[in-house]
Amino acid sequence: MHFSISLPLKGLLIATVVALSRAAVIPSRNSPLSVLAARDTYLPPDADIGIAKPKRAAPDVGYTPTQVDCPDQKPVIRDAKDLSQQETNWLKLRSQQSIPAMKDLLGRLKIDSFDVDSYFSANANNLPNIAIAASGGGYRALLNGAGAIKAFDSREPGGTDPGSLGGLLQASTYVSGLSGGGWLVSTIFMNNFTTISALQNDARVWHFENSILEGPQHTGIAGSFDVAKYWKEVHKKVEAKKDAGFKTSITDYWGLTLAQQLINDTDGGPSYTWASIGEDANFANGNYPMPLLTTDERAPGTLAVPGTTPIYEINPFEFGTWDSTTHAFAPVKYVGTAFDNGAVPDGTKCVAGFVGLYGMATSSSLFNQFLLHVDSETQYPKAIRDIVKDILTDVSNDEFDIANWQPNPFAGYQGDSALGASTDNAASQDLTMCDGGEDAQNVPFHPLLQNNRKIDTIFAVDSTADSNNWPIGSTLVATSKWAKSPNAKDASFPEVPDNNTIVNLQLNNHPSFYGCDAGTADPPPPLIVYLPNSPYTYWSNVSTFAMKHDQFDRDNIILNGYNVVTMGNATADSTWPTCVGCAIMKRSWDRTKTQIPDACTQCFTKYCWTGKTASDPPTSTYEPIMWNNPKGGSPITVEPTATGNTDPTCTPDNNKRNWFKSKYDEDVKGCQPTSATTATTDTSSITPTPTPTP
């Protein structure tokens, strides 16, 4: 029996996932913590890691947007014909920090016959510009993405050891996120660009064993839970916003409750805004990358569709879109002000404090469903469910995933017709936004593809739940479709294969590169380093809607994400660190017409998609095996026959993934699928075990 893989539209699937259960594939608590990692990256809560505990960005005005005097030079809406002056000025400062970090990183990645110092000195105006993108996918995406950021951060223990990728974060110009990946970006940057280790070891945040329904453990007396008080305080903040004349929705509740787990401050830091990140001295001086969130515009009663749905970004300076539907930006500090045709009318006060937790919640508004169906969440005590229901009595469940940004900053704005901007939003006082992944573009490529930003390489961490909560590249296909639409006239994206090819050629169970040969295009698209979630040391495919994760799950998913992007500290491929360096340099070499080093030619042969296709429908759903231990104490039955392997030498001891071969290669060797059957799951013997003590 054959089946076709189609692009999932999350908006069509919501009704089927309200159970919010764990994935059918359940991680094993008996698996070894790490076999691939060259060092133990697990840190107990009381570990002395030599990194300061998370701090917060400077507070702004509070959760309720507040009227303030406009500055002497009143804020205006600008056409999106180029970067803002603020971002342009910031980029000059950022390069002073990112380029030395990149030199250091490339020196450790050791590309044979490439003199980093000489090249950087001779080509100061043609050096690489890189970015990181973290996909959506709930806590799975947050934690898998955290593993990637941990691997890319030179401040982490062992981050600059030989073969490590620490420093890639410091060398990056931008870090984008949406939905669960947006939570990751928000928790790092709203805590003053802290480290993942510091978040793991902080007493106030990242305790995902406590559901947002219950609230953080420190909300009660002597560390106990006080659920009623917790929800009363949340409700009070939402009502204050409503009383101030702003429309409220379930998105407000979602942002305020989620922040309790992510922001290290009283009540989750309701007064911290995206504008306050821009005003933080370390960010303003270019000491760390620019965070970006993406969110989709969606009118009530419609679906988000790739290629037609406008995509907006939130950054520390602005909120707006490059898409031709509006093609304009508003100063993020003053979103909430009643702009009219791009200006603040005479006698009108400015408003500050609108884009804080509400921005983070808007990018993940799909999760509003969790709160609205709380009555079905029987794993929580009835008393807790009743409290939440009482609080949310007046919240409609119509269009539950829409966040209303009212007043619409682009109301009356006519734009620059020469730039192709339309007036789609000009007639409405409401701007309705939804989860940034509802158009199937679940990796936030959009802000990084804009030609004005001149990004050379994007490290794309994909935690999408395409098949059994594993990614199969649907986000690549969706973004490719968008890039060919009129909305993307100022953006570039490389050619990518169809979903069936990605699965059949096994391009989704190891890193792969896209756009390797597009460097001579005008303008060239970024080279995409695609890093799909895959089981190296842990079954990290937990359900998108699983709202509780104990410390064992949390730290093992992070560790697996670390191993995904490092290929197990180069255990799976000893040349991987070098290949990362080659990917960073590729576009710069293209511009300077520099001969590619032999080591990089070998890397590109290994990791670049060549244009080969294998579009026949797969004969079964995608089911990866764990790289280092197919059984690994897991309740999942992974016998050779269960994964379609018929080679008699393919035993659990030697069943390592053959990364670069598939059944479509003539010289295929090792444990490869020759027919497809579905692995079975036996959950009857699964019993909870205490969190281990390292």
Side-chain angles (χ1 to χ4, degrees), residues 139 207-220 223-232 234 257-258 260-261 370-371 374 377-385 387-388 547-549:
Y139 287 96
H207 287 278
F208 304 130
E209 68 274 15
N210 303 329
S211 164
I212 62 170
L213 287 184
E214 302 162 301
Q217 189 165 359
H218 58 262
T219 57
S224 63
F225 292 98
D226 190 339
V227 178
K229 178 181 177 182
Y230 161 67
W231 277 100
K232 182 178 179 181
V234 168
T257 54
L258 182 66
Q260 301 261 3
Q261 294 184 330
F370 175 69
L371 293 182
V374 65
E377 306 310 309
T378 54
Q379 70 268 37
Y380 302 106
K382 186 174 183 300
I384 291 177
R385 289 182 279 132
I387 290 170
V388 179
M547 290 292 161
K548 294 180 72 168
H549 296 277

Side-chain angles (χ1 to χ4, degrees), residues 10-19 366 369 373 400 545:
K10 291 197 290 187
L12 297 176
L13 300 177
I14 295 168
T16 66
V17 295
V18 296
L366 180 66
Q369 179 81 356
H373 288 80
F400 54 81
F545 293 92

Side-chain angles (χ1 to χ4, degrees), residues 387-514:
I387 290 170
V388 179
K389 282 169 56 183
D390 288 343
I391 292 291
L392 301 181
T393 298
D394 296 329
V395 178
S396 169
N397 62 3
D398 294 333
E399 304 296 346
F400 54 81
D401 59 331
I402 283 181
N404 197 323
W405 288 49
Q406 186 270 341
N408 171 20
F410 308 107
Y413 182 68
Q414 301 301 312
D416 187 339
S417 59
L419 298 173
S422 72
T423 58
D424 290 3
N425 287 319
S428 176
Q429 288 298 317
D430 293 348
L431 182 64
T432 48
M433 313 298 293
C434 67
D435 190 291
E438 284 199 29
D439 64 347
Q441 296 188 65
N442 202 38
V443 171
F445 288 118
H446 181 272
L448 308 176
L449 302 178
Q450 305 306 317
N451 296 327
N452 287 326
R453 284 190 167 130
K454 298 183 172 66
I455 303 295
D456 292 318
T457 307
I458 300 173
F459 290 85
V461 183
D462 190 6
S463 308
T464 304
D466 288 326
S467 178
N468 288 320
N469 294 325
W470 301 110
I472 59 171
S474 65
T475 184
L476 295 173
V477 177
T479 300
S480 177
K481 180 177 180 179
W482 167 81
K484 296 179 171 98
S485 74
N487 272 349
K489 65 185 182 66
D490 296 323
S492 303
F493 192 70
E495 290 295 322
V496 298
D498 60 90
N499 282 137
N500 291 344
T501 292
I502 290 172
V503 173
N504 289 331
L505 298 185
Q506 302 183 39
L507 299 175
N508 61 322
N509 69 8
H510 64 78
S512 52
F513 299 169
Y514 299 94

Side-chain angles (χ1 to χ4, degrees), residues 106 109-115 513 516 573-586 589 594-608 660:
L106 290 167
L109 298 182
K110 299 188 182 304
I111 302 173
D112 289 343
S113 74
F114 175 56
D115 188 326
F513 299 169
C516 296
D573 177 11
S574 61
T575 69
W576 174 241
T578 294
C579 294
V580 169
C582 298
I584 291 172
M585 290 302 307
K586 181 63 167 66
W589 287 334
T594 298
Q595 182 174 350
I596 304 296
D598 289 343
C600 291
T601 299
Q602 295 174 27
C603 285
F604 296 143
T605 299
K606 186 184 297 185
Y607 287 101
C608 289
F660 313 110

Side-chain angles (χ1 to χ4, degrees), residues 114-157:
F114 175 56
D115 188 326
V116 178
D117 290 335
S118 296
Y119 183 88
F120 273 54
S121 296
N123 298 281
N125 295 322
N126 278 301
L127 298 178
N129 185 19
I130 66 176
I132 300 167
S135 83
Y139 287 96
R140 179 187 64 252
L142 167 69
L143 297 173
N144 182 60
I149 295 296
K150 191 169 188 175
F152 294 158
D153 193 341
S154 61
R155 299 170 297 173
E156 294 284 2

